[in-house]
Amino acid sequence: MVQVAVLGYGTVGSGVVEVIGKNNGIVSRNAGQELNVKYILDLRDFPEDPYGDRVIHDFDTILNDSEVSIVCEVMGGVGAAYQFTKAALEKGKSVCTSNKELVAKHGPELLQIAKANHCSYLFEASVGGGIPIIRPLNDCLTAEKIENITGILNGTTNYILTKMEREGADFDTVLKEAQEKGYAERNPEADVEGHDACRKIAILSSLMTGKNVDSEKIYTEGITKITADDFLYAKAAGRTIKLLAKSDAVGEDEVLTMVAPFMVDKEHPLAMVNDVFNAVFVRGNMLGDSMYYGRGAGKLPTASAVVGDVVECARNLGRHIPCRWEAQDAKLADVADIEDAYYVRVKAEKKSEAQAAFAGGRLLEIPDRDKDFAVLTTPMKEKEFAAKCQTLGDAVLSRIRLY
Ligand code: HSE
């Protein structure tokens, strides 16, 4: 029997216990031996819970129990979660996690500790919730030079943008409604400012390059400036607006990674990813395009990915499952130097100046609307675009990159 400890009995933690319990026959058969949750670590007690008798408050009980070979860290944060993960790995216990913040911040170090102690650090659930994307990148696409990864990696913002598109509503109204329904956090900053997607693309980019992509160095824009007017123009252009997290291989050894809203062509498969769903689009130099789609958050989808990792660890007890993610920093290309085409919405009184500045672009006008217009520009360097916008001053109402 393989004994498992779960750190944190919140949404994902209770999901992990539920998946191991309800699907015990399947997970045990897949693991090759029975899986059992021996401990659940939490600050609280759960006297009414069917697993309440397994709840403990002292991590050392888990650490010092040689029967426990796999630990699920689903508590979140980078404080105690980091200490517990490190200590478990140093004891040769494999750790499976959904904690993207910790993986993004300390991934290479924790992988190194796992390797040195003949155990594993697996983090399938940290990106895209229940969608298999880490293992495909790490194990299946190993014959590929990955040229591009583009993801819709945050369910909250995708839900908000989908609602804005469908209802013509503005950002604040939809966010408030999403908070009331419990779809968005009370403090939505990490989601709406793009930080959550940034950590996830940092993890994917690190796997793509094999080197460390520091999430703090990634150019990140959120969705708070997107308006109902922008969606009107997106519709007129046959596009929609999505928060994309993307990473492009540039030259031999550079990577351009960014998180920002993009106006996506309606024909692109990512334009069809709606509501809380996530998707990751991967282009390899041999395979071409592939896409991974599904539930990027939620109790059971995320827990399923954690338990999938538990099964993988159980199949490899005493052995390190390798992951190519070195501590050395990847070279990040400067966003200012890349070429993008833009949607730019401008006050009507500056029409001739804007048309001159963005000559060759496609003019977009909405019938019976005389306060503004938009241009879909030709591709140009980010810094060139910024300079052109500067000449138009506050007549520029919004700008979104095209995809
Ligand atoms: N807040 C995240 C989201 C949860 O909305 O996608 C999953 O990481």
Side-chain angles (χ1 to χ4, degrees), residues 3 16 47 171 191 194 206 247 257 267 280 331 354:
Q3 299 289 7
V16 167
F171 172 78
D191 292 314
S206 299
S247 210
T257 304
E267 296 302 313
V280 189
K331 275 193 212 159

Side-chain angles (χ1 to χ4, degrees), residues 225-387:
K225 291 188 191 139
I226 307 292
T227 64
D229 289 333
D230 296 324
F231 271 103
L232 270 182
Y233 279 99
K235 190 174 176 194
R239 291 172 178 266
T240 187
I241 302 169
K242 296 288 182 193
L243 181 69
L244 299 184
K246 68 190 201 82
S247 210
D248 288 288
V250 180
E252 273 310 298
D253 63 347
E254 271 194 327
V255 67
L256 175 78
T257 304
M258 68 192 293
V259 176
F262 280 79
M263 231 183 225
V264 182
D265 193 302
K266 273 279 191 189
E267 296 302 313
H268 193 282
L270 286 170
M272 294 158 210
V273 177
N274 287 316
D275 299 307
V276 294
F277 282 89
N278 283 196
V280 189
F281 197 82
V282 179
R283 183 181 308 129
N285 67 336
M286 298 292 142
L287 168 70
D289 294 339
S290 58
M291 192 159 106
Y292 309 81
Y293 167 86
R295 292 193 181 273
K299 176 177 167 172
L300 293 176
T302 308
S304 170
V306 175
V307 178
D309 279 349
V310 171
V311 168
E312 195 58 16
C313 288
R315 287 170 168 172
N316 289 280
L317 287 177
R319 198 181 84 83
H320 173 68
I321 301 168
C323 174
R324 198 174 71 90
W325 180 351
E326 293 162 21
Q328 187 192 348
D329 281 338
K331 275 193 212 159
L332 298 187
D334 188 346
V335 171
D337 289 328
I338 60 159
E339 280 210 344
D340 266 317
Y342 281 85
Y343 147 87
V344 53
R345 182 162 60 89
V346 184
K347 285 182 188 165
E349 62 257 30
K350 288 276 186 176
K351 191 166 175 182
S352 51
E353 291 91 331
Q355 280 189 289
F358 299 114
R362 175 182 161 201
L363 182 67
L364 275 183
E365 287 176 301
I366 293 179
D368 301 327
R369 188 178 165 100
D370 50 19
K371 64 176 183 178
D372 59 15
F373 67 96
V375 180
L376 302 186
T377 74
T378 53
M380 63 187 79
K381 286 218 161 134
E382 295 254 343
K383 52 190 169 195
E384 192 188 334
F385 176 75

Side-chain angles (χ1 to χ4, degrees), residues 34-186:
E34 191 181 339
L35 291 187
N36 179 58
V37 176
K38 187 166 183 183
Y39 301 113
I40 298 166
L41 183 79
D42 204 283
L43 292 171
R44 303 159 292 178
D45 280 307
F46 298 84
E48 309 299 323
D49 190 280
Y51 294 91
D53 59 337
R54 305 181 201 196
V55 173
I56 58 165
H57 309 298
D58 182 7
F59 176 66
D60 284 348
T61 307
I62 295 168
L63 202 58
N64 296 324
D65 186 335
S66 59
E67 278 190 2
V68 174
S69 49
I70 301 171
V71 173
C72 300
E73 186 276 293
V74 284
M75 48 198 289
V78 292
Y82 173 58
Q83 299 304 337
F84 293 170
T85 299
K86 218 169 141 174
L89 294 172
E90 280 166 352
K91 279 260 183 182
K93 298 178 194 297
S94 289
V95 177
C96 307
T97 188
S98 57
N99 187 343
K100 60 236 165 182
E101 202 181 346
L102 184 61
V103 177
K105 194 161 180 186
H106 294 292
E109 181 198 358
L110 295 170
L111 283 164
Q112 193 48 45
I113 297 173
K115 187 177 178 187
N117 291 280
H118 313 290
C119 58
S120 302
Y121 185 52
L122 299 188
F123 43 90
E124 183 62 69
S126 65
V127 181
I131 307 171
I133 183 60
I134 303 294
R135 202 160 295 123
L137 283 175
N138 200 37
D139 291 349
C140 311
L141 299 176
T142 46
E144 294 290 323
K145 173 174 168 46
I146 305 293
E147 294 172 338
N148 165 262
I149 297 179
T150 303
I152 292 176
L153 299 178
N154 182 269
T156 305
T157 46
N158 205 39
Y159 173 84
I160 292 171
L161 293 172
T162 304
K163 281 274 238 190
M164 287 177 74
E165 179 185 41
R166 287 184 184 153
E167 296 174 7
D170 64 29
F171 172 78
D172 290 327
T173 311
V174 178
L175 173 62
K176 197 160 167 274
E177 198 187 311
Q179 283 174 313
E180 279 162 9
K181 288 187 173 162
Y183 296 154
E185 304 276 352
R186 290 264 146 250

